[in-house]
Amino acid sequence: MRLSRYFLPVLKETPADAQIASHRLMLRAGMIKQASAGIYSWLPLGFKVLRRIEQIVHEEQQRAGHIPMLMPTLQSADLWRESGRYDAYGPEMLRIRDRQDRDMLYGPTNEEMITDIFRSHVSSYKDLPMTLYHIQWKFRDEVRPRFGVMRGREFLMKDGYNFDLTKEDALHAYNRHLVSYLRTYERMGLQAIPMRADSGPIGGDDTHEFLVLAETGESEVFYDSEITELKFGDRQIDYDSHEACAAVLAEFTSRYARTDETHDETVWAEVPADRQRVARGIEVGQIFYFGTKYSEPMGATVQGPDGKPVPVHMGSHGIGVSRLVGAIIEANHDDKGIIWPEGVTPFHCGIVNLKQGDAEADAACEDLYSAIKGLGLEPLYDDRDERAGGKFATMDLVGLPWRITVGPRGLKNGVVELTSRRTGESEELAPRDAVAKVAEIYAPHHPHVEAALREPMEGRSFHTWM
Ligand code: ATP
Ligand code: MG
């Protein structure tokens, strides 16, 4: 993308009503615009990040064997009356009446609807296990929408639902979700710690929340510092194996880690004092096992092996897709702006032309631009006729992890500068080597870049100035 043709409405002033860094930076970097309280338009840059996060969620859900689908945002109240939640949910539910005077609602979650789909089409235990999920907008009329997309009223969530014949199978689904979530957050450059939590209005026995540590988090959390040393990394897990998933769950949940709702002073006292940490966290996901809470009242049964009908065991599992954009920024920024982790960055690399209009500099930038695009990556080329200082400030604010700076002086020596946004360190490299380095950095995130790397760099579209 050429910046001169992009829509990136950056703000010079710091918005006064934004209380936390992520909200300020998302407004300043032109990622979102508030439409009304807790409801946002996603401008092109913000939309790109949202899509990257969604993509990672889809890939990891499908890796775990979960099946994507899409349910509507508007639901009929009838289903919610069946489960008893129409009255129980309270004023957070946006209730709507259609022209026929039918009670509708904008879905805050989808347990009822998915249970209805299941009972209409599945009748035998042979069709189980099954986990269906979608990524869809939700509406909750929060008392205090705040912190931008972190606590919105309309927000994007991945919600998944498992259907199993036995409690044991449903607990495996729970464990499998925990494993897939660990991997999902790590790909986004986040450490999200599973913490024992309270089940709230969804109801049920087992639940963990995933929390990203951040000073601005809304939850108070208590944890054993050893837990922050655990990494899921590049493990190859057989998601069908009960033992393999249970082992990961045991590893990641055996140390003390709880939200204030489940905090227990007696158990806490057993954690060695030098490892006790009290901090704040942002909830980016939650998993539940709730057994037959919905299947029983709604008649979601299957015929078991002995021919008798049994209610299915269920769980639901959510990831706050739009909240993650804010959470990632909370965990990755400095006073100049955002610092995107490579896994979710909206553009992979910035190109700054220090002297727009200089024939050599322009040509070098064009070559870099097409070489990076040729790798299947997306560069953002600042081709505006602006001062270098302004261009650097925009790049720092927008937070692309890597920047290639091109100027006539460097080109005389055959070099450009490759700078890391995170460390601020720069390296002078021949343009070809800068491209190769960018390719190497992104290869773990993009299989197509890895494939391109295996081909020789010769013969790529570089001009003779190299
Ligand atoms: P919270 O306690 O923060 O209100 P919740 O526990 O009610 O959230 P869940 O029903 O567990 O939310 O929804 C799954 C995920 O959706 C949460 O972990 C969170 O990341 C996200 N989420 C929930 N409410 C909001 C909101 N108002 N704005 C943005 N994301 C949200
Ligand atoms: Mg929750």
Side-chain angles (χ1 to χ4, degrees):
M1 181 57 65
R2 292 167 201 278
L3 196 45
S4 63
R5 305 222 192 119
Y6 199 44
F7 179 54
L8 185 73
V10 299
L11 305 180
K12 293 248 154 51
E13 313 290 308
T14 300
D17 53 342
Q19 300 164 38
I20 62 171
S22 59
H23 188 196
R24 281 194 295 272
L25 289 170
M26 286 181 78
L27 291 168
R28 283 191 53 213
M31 293 176 68
I32 50 169
K33 181 179 188 319
Q34 185 177 307
S36 56
I39 303 178
Y40 291 87
S41 295
W42 292 78
L43 305 182
L45 191 76
F47 181 58
K48 245 173 165 339
V49 178
L50 194 66
R51 280 278 178 265
R52 295 248 200 257
I53 292 173
E54 258 188 280
Q55 183 61 28
I56 292 175
V57 172
H58 273 302
E59 285 171 15
E60 294 307 327
Q61 284 305 300
Q62 288 170 52
R63 195 198 297 275
H66 305 159
I67 307 168
M69 62 177 296
L70 187 61
M71 288 177 270
T73 53
L74 293 181
Q75 305 185 21
S76 153
D78 293 344
L79 283 178
W80 288 70
R81 291 199 173 101
E82 270 188 65
S83 72
R85 282 209 295 180
Y86 188 63
D87 297 319
Y89 214 94
E92 273 199 8
M93 182 187 275
L94 181 64
R95 293 151 210 264
I96 305 163
R97 191 157 287 161
D98 71 11
R99 65 199 294 168
Q100 318 286 355
D101 249 2
R102 275 185 294 244
D103 288 325
M104 310 283 292
L105 56 101
Y106 194 129
T109 176
N110 286 64
E111 280 81 6
E112 283 77 0
M113 186 171 279
I114 196 82
T115 306
D116 179 53
I117 291 170
F118 181 88
R119 72 180 172 186
S120 307
H121 298 290
V122 182
S123 55
S124 166
Y125 76 96
K126 289 180 189 151
D127 294 324
L128 307 183
M130 185 189 289
T131 295
L132 301 167
Y133 79 93
H134 71 162
I135 298 180
Q136 178 62 290
W137 294 93
K138 304 288 183 288
F139 195 94
R140 296 183 187 171
D141 206 348
E142 302 273 354
V143 198
R144 285 182 66 201
R146 59 190 182 144
F147 301 158
V149 300
M150 296 269 247
R151 183 163 296 284
R153 294 198 297 163
E154 188 187 49
F155 59 97
L156 191 60
M157 195 206 285
K158 168 262 159 183
D159 42 323
Y161 306 86
N162 67 282
F163 300 91
D164 289 277
L165 180 63
T166 63
K167 176 169 182 181
E168 196 215 325
D169 286 351
L171 288 177
H172 168 59
Y174 184 89
N175 299 350
R176 192 177 63 228
H177 277 87
L178 183 130
V179 176
S180 71
Y181 280 23
L182 289 172
R183 198 185 177 112
T184 301
Y185 297 121
E186 274 194 22
R187 279 189 62 186
M188 298 173 189
L190 281 179
Q191 180 168 44
I193 304 173
M195 300 201 181
R196 182 152 289 288
D198 193 44
S199 59
I202 306 259
D205 311 329
D206 274 299
T207 179
H208 279 89
E209 285 179 354
F210 288 77
L211 285 112
V212 172
L213 299 174
E215 278 165 30
T216 48
E218 290 187 290
S219 317
E220 186 171 33
V221 298
F222 302 79
Y223 64 95
D224 177 339
S225 63
E226 276 192 358
I227 203 159
T228 55
E229 284 151 34
L230 297 175
K231 294 273 172 311
F232 185 78
D234 203 21
R235 303 179 202 195
Q236 300 304 313
I237 297 285
D238 173 3
Y239 280 101
D240 288 333
S241 159
H242 288 217
E243 296 72 32
C245 292
V248 174
L249 176 117
E251 180 185 346
F252 280 83
T253 61
S254 60
R255 290 165 188 80
Y256 193 95
R258 298 193 186 189
T259 63
D260 50 2
E261 291 165 340
T262 52
H263 182 55
D264 180 330
E265 285 294 342
T266 322
V267 192
W268 182 233
E270 288 163 23
V271 178
D274 62 326
R275 298 201 328 236
Q276 290 183 352
R277 298 285 184 279
V278 181
R280 302 201 68 82
I282 301 166
E283 183 195 327
V284 292
Q286 186 162 14
I287 54 177
F288 293 93
Y289 162 73
F290 46 69
T292 58
K293 180 182 154 91
Y294 297 93
S295 56
E296 240 165 318
M298 294 185 66
T301 58
V302 292
Q303 200 175 45
D306 58 1
K308 294 198 186 111
V310 279
V312 288
H313 285 260
M314 293 174 60
S316 70
H317 315 279
I319 293 182
V321 173
S322 51
R323 178 179 288 181
L324 271 165
V325 181
I328 291 168
I329 298 174
E330 282 304 317
N332 298 280
H333 69 272
D334 61 17
D335 50 10
K336 289 189 236 151
I338 303 166
I339 309 171
W340 292 113
E342 272 100 9
V344 297
T345 185
F347 293 96
H348 299 100
C349 169
I351 301 172
V352 168
N353 189 345
L354 292 177
K355 201 161 182 204
Q356 205 68 41
D358 176 90
E360 237 187 312
D362 290 0
C365 287
E366 290 298 333
D367 280 347
L368 286 164
Y369 185 67
S370 52
I372 291 168
K373 288 217 310 194
L375 288 165
L377 296 174
E378 291 181 85
L380 180 66
Y381 171 23
D382 192 343
D383 58 342
R384 297 169 306 163
D385 188 13
E386 244 207 48
R387 294 217 330 265
K391 289 188 174 188
F392 289 146
T394 301
M395 282 291 174
D396 285 347
L397 172 63
V398 163
L400 310 185
W402 298 92
R403 184 187 80 207
I404 301 177
T405 311
V406 180
R409 204 176 314 154
L411 288 177
K412 282 211 173 63
N413 302 318
V415 295
V416 296
E417 202 177 58
L418 180 67
T419 307
S420 155
R421 173 69 180 85
R422 197 170 285 280
T423 65
E425 276 162 31
S426 292
E427 202 181 345
E428 290 198 331
L429 294 167
R432 174 190 304 243
D433 295 334
V435 173
K437 182 125 191 220
V438 169
E440 233 166 76
I441 290 162
Y442 284 103
H445 299 277
H446 300 271
H448 58 267
V449 177
E450 204 168 17
L453 261 184
R454 284 195 293 271
E455 297 163 20
M457 292 300 282
E458 312 306 323
R460 288 186 187 268
S461 62
F462 289 99
H463 284 166
T464 42
W465 51 265
M466 291 193 60

